[in-house]
Amino acid sequence: MEEDGDHAEIRAAVRRLCEQFPGEYWRRLDRERAYPAEFVQALTTAGYLATLIPEDYGGAGLTLSAAAAVLEEIQHAGCNGGACHAQMYIMGTLLRHGDPSQKARYLPGVASGELRLQAFGVTEPGSGTDTTSIRTFARRDGDHYVVNGQKVWTSRAEHSDLMLLLARTTPKDQVAKRTYGLSVFILDMRQASTAGLTIRPIRTMMNHSTTEVFFDNLRVPAENLVGEEGKGFRYILAGMNAERILIAAECVGDAKWLIEKATAYARERVVFGRPIGQNQGVQFPIARAYANMRAADLMVREAIRRYEAGEECGAEANMAKLLAADASNEAANACIQTHGGFGFAEEYDIERKFRETRLYQVAPISTNLILSYLAEHVLGMPRSY
Ligand SMILES: Cc1cc2nc3c(=O)[nH]c(=O)nc-3n(C[C@H](O)[C@H](O)[C@H](O)COP(=O)(O)OP(=O)(O)OC[C@H]3O[C@@H](n4cnc5c(N)ncnc54)[C@H](O)[C@@H]3O)c2cc1C
């Protein structure tokens, strides 16, 4: 894949691929709560899920902006990258902190699609957003760790071979700082499923293949520890900016799809002898959503620019996620309202997108927590929690 400024070639190719997966495909999966295996396979075969994997390991070796372009176009085409987006940002932890043998063992398989690295086990029912309070514990036992505990909202666990797992290796009350004593593991779920790993699907308002996962004396080889024991929180945090930026790019794509649908319908639909889009009451919410989408897109680009220049980009990545999630949510509201009753009919795909994009007010980080971050770290106000 060649790189160019705005990745026009990649964008066009992704759109062509997405044309093979029209609304009917996603509606059927939505009804059946099924995983879009064919879609993920097509993206893998075309090399898009390996965008960020270096060429030495069989990937495309492209930048974050290319990955963002891929995900934005998937959403812009009305498809849903939620089925596989985590592979893009999970992999960064392995790339930055994995040892050469781990990279050689896993990355070529992930790049070729032979191995799926789609699951990210961080959130737990008892701790929620307060990640340092997680209780899943990995106890060293010879050349293994023995893992006990529970994760919740571990998306795609049933459709992944590997999970990036965050667990405590030193109890919270025995560390100098609450962020210490957490470690990251690559969990090979193919071997684990018969040896102490239980995965239970959670049905949600949208089709997201999310699960809860239980660990019962699960033995993980010590060689699967990523980086140094006890430094896992820092490793996960280092990947957060990329995660925020990529999710924001997806929200911009959603907003574009929703705004285009709303605009087209507003032009076509005639009530009281004229197009509904002739009424300012219909125009203005769509126009406002468009302005907010464009502003969010600029922040996404600024966050990417800083990220790629190696500059500090925590504030921009968080603001991009906040603004883009708000813009897609606003566009979804405007779109469903513009369609009147038809907005609620499955065959228009709008209620599906409305449900799908609503997630990003909460995950992977909720709007409140981003506002708290900005208040504390950018504006210098006291920490509120
Ligand atoms: C469909 C789905 C898929 C997901 N996929 C994954 C995944 O693959 N891997 C993974 O690890 N996690 C995943 N998550 C979890 C997700 O990251 C969390 O749901 C999210 O971070 C919020 O945590 P919580 O649900 O525990 O909410 P809580 O932390 O319980 O918070 C509940 C509400 O209170 C607010 N709140 C909490 N504390 C404060 C505060 N101090 N100030 C202001 N407001 C506050 C929050 O903003 C939120 O609105 C997923 C979640 C969903 C719904």
Side-chain angles (χ1 to χ4, degrees):
M1 280 185 274
E2 287 291 308
E3 278 218 70
D4 59 52
D6 198 35
H7 306 291
E9 270 183 41
I10 291 178
R11 287 175 185 273
V14 172
R15 288 189 76 81
R16 275 198 302 279
L17 184 152
C18 288
E19 281 168 13
Q20 299 163 40
F21 300 93
E24 174 45 39
Y25 173 75
W26 297 99
R27 265 174 258 142
R28 179 176 58 75
L29 296 174
D30 202 61
R31 277 195 299 273
E32 296 169 2
R33 285 294 187 265
Y35 186 72
E38 307 79 6
F39 175 69
V40 175
Q41 185 56 51
L43 285 175
T44 306
T45 305
Y48 294 123
L49 293 187
T51 301
L52 293 171
I53 298 181
E55 285 173 299
D56 287 351
Y57 296 108
L62 295 179
T63 52
L64 191 71
S65 59
V70 169
L71 291 176
E72 183 195 316
E73 289 307 326
I74 288 172
Q75 303 305 116
H76 189 177
C79 298
N80 191 2
C84 50
H85 57 190
Q87 183 148 314
M88 298 261 203
Y89 46 78
I90 290 175
M91 214 239 350
T93 304
L94 183 55
L95 259 183
R96 277 187 303 272
H97 308 289
D99 64 36
S101 73
Q102 288 170 337
K103 292 183 201 177
R105 194 163 3 128
Y106 295 116
L107 289 177
V110 174
S112 72
E114 194 187 314
L115 277 177
R116 299 165 301 173
L117 174 56
Q118 300 281 7
F120 192 33
V122 175
T123 310
E124 296 188 6
S127 52
T129 311
D130 182 7
T131 304
T132 62
S133 296
I134 61 167
R135 285 202 286 257
T136 294
F137 200 87
R139 179 178 53 80
R140 183 79 191 234
D141 180 25
D143 56 1
H144 280 74
Y145 284 86
V146 180
V147 183
N148 280 288
Q150 181 190 351
K151 296 286 172 185
V152 73
W153 305 122
T154 313
S155 301
R156 304 160 296 272
E158 294 173 298
H159 306 281
S160 186
D161 301 304
L162 307 173
M163 179 197 296
L164 204 71
L165 171 70
L166 184 71
R168 271 230 164 260
T169 38
T170 310
K172 196 177 172 190
D173 57 9
Q174 291 174 23
V175 285
K177 275 182 82 177
R178 64 198 160 87
T179 51
Y180 297 168
L182 292 155
S183 301
V184 173
F185 298 89
I186 305 168
L187 179 62
D188 190 332
M189 293 193 286
R190 295 167 303 174
Q191 291 149 19
S193 55
T194 51
L197 179 81
T198 308
I199 303 173
R200 288 200 202 126
I202 305 176
R203 271 186 84 89
T204 51
M205 71 187 263
M206 66 292 171
N207 182 21
H208 202 83
S209 311
T210 198
T211 71
E212 55 184 342
V213 177
F214 301 84
F215 310 98
D216 181 13
N217 286 323
L218 177 70
R219 295 181 74 79
V220 179
E223 64 189 22
N224 283 31
L225 172 74
V226 178
E228 282 179 55
E229 186 185 298
K231 297 202 171 155
F233 188 75
R234 186 156 66 74
Y235 302 158
I236 295 291
L237 216 56
M240 294 289 184
N241 288 335
E243 180 192 72
R244 309 265 193 275
I245 290 169
L246 292 175
I247 298 286
E250 288 190 310
C251 290
V252 167
D254 273 345
K256 286 183 175 175
W257 185 89
L258 289 156
I259 290 165
E260 285 165 15
K261 285 279 170 200
T263 310
Y265 191 77
R267 280 197 298 254
E268 268 167 31
R269 170 74 169 164
V270 174
V271 180
F272 296 113
R274 60 188 192 157
I276 56 168
Q278 203 174 328
N279 302 297
Q280 290 185 332
V282 174
Q283 290 175 352
F284 285 5
I286 306 172
R288 186 176 288 279
Y290 177 76
N292 287 337
M293 176 276 289
R294 291 294 304 274
D297 189 30
L298 287 175
M299 188 58 81
V300 173
R301 286 163 191 266
E302 171 62 2
I304 289 173
R305 187 195 65 72
R306 295 180 74 100
Y307 183 97
E308 290 183 349
E311 294 169 21
E312 172 54 44
C313 67
E316 288 76 15
N318 274 288
M319 287 190 287
K321 158 67 174 61
L322 172 83
L323 296 172
D326 280 355
S328 68
N329 195 39
E330 182 187 13
N333 264 322
C335 190
I336 208 163
Q337 196 70 19
T338 302
H339 281 76
F342 290 110
F344 297 83
E346 279 182 7
E347 66 169 292
Y348 283 74
D349 293 312
I350 289 153
E351 57 83 35
R352 173 175 62 82
K353 271 285 159 208
F354 181 90
R355 287 181 282 120
E356 285 172 5
T357 213
R358 182 63 178 78
L359 173 64
Y360 300 116
Q361 292 288 318
V362 170
I365 178 82
S366 70
T367 298
N368 276 3
L369 268 291
I370 293 183
L371 292 170
S372 298
Y373 172 91
L374 294 174
E376 181 186 344
H377 296 286
V378 180
L379 301 174
M381 286 186 263
R383 184 178 169 90
S384 61
Y385 55 92

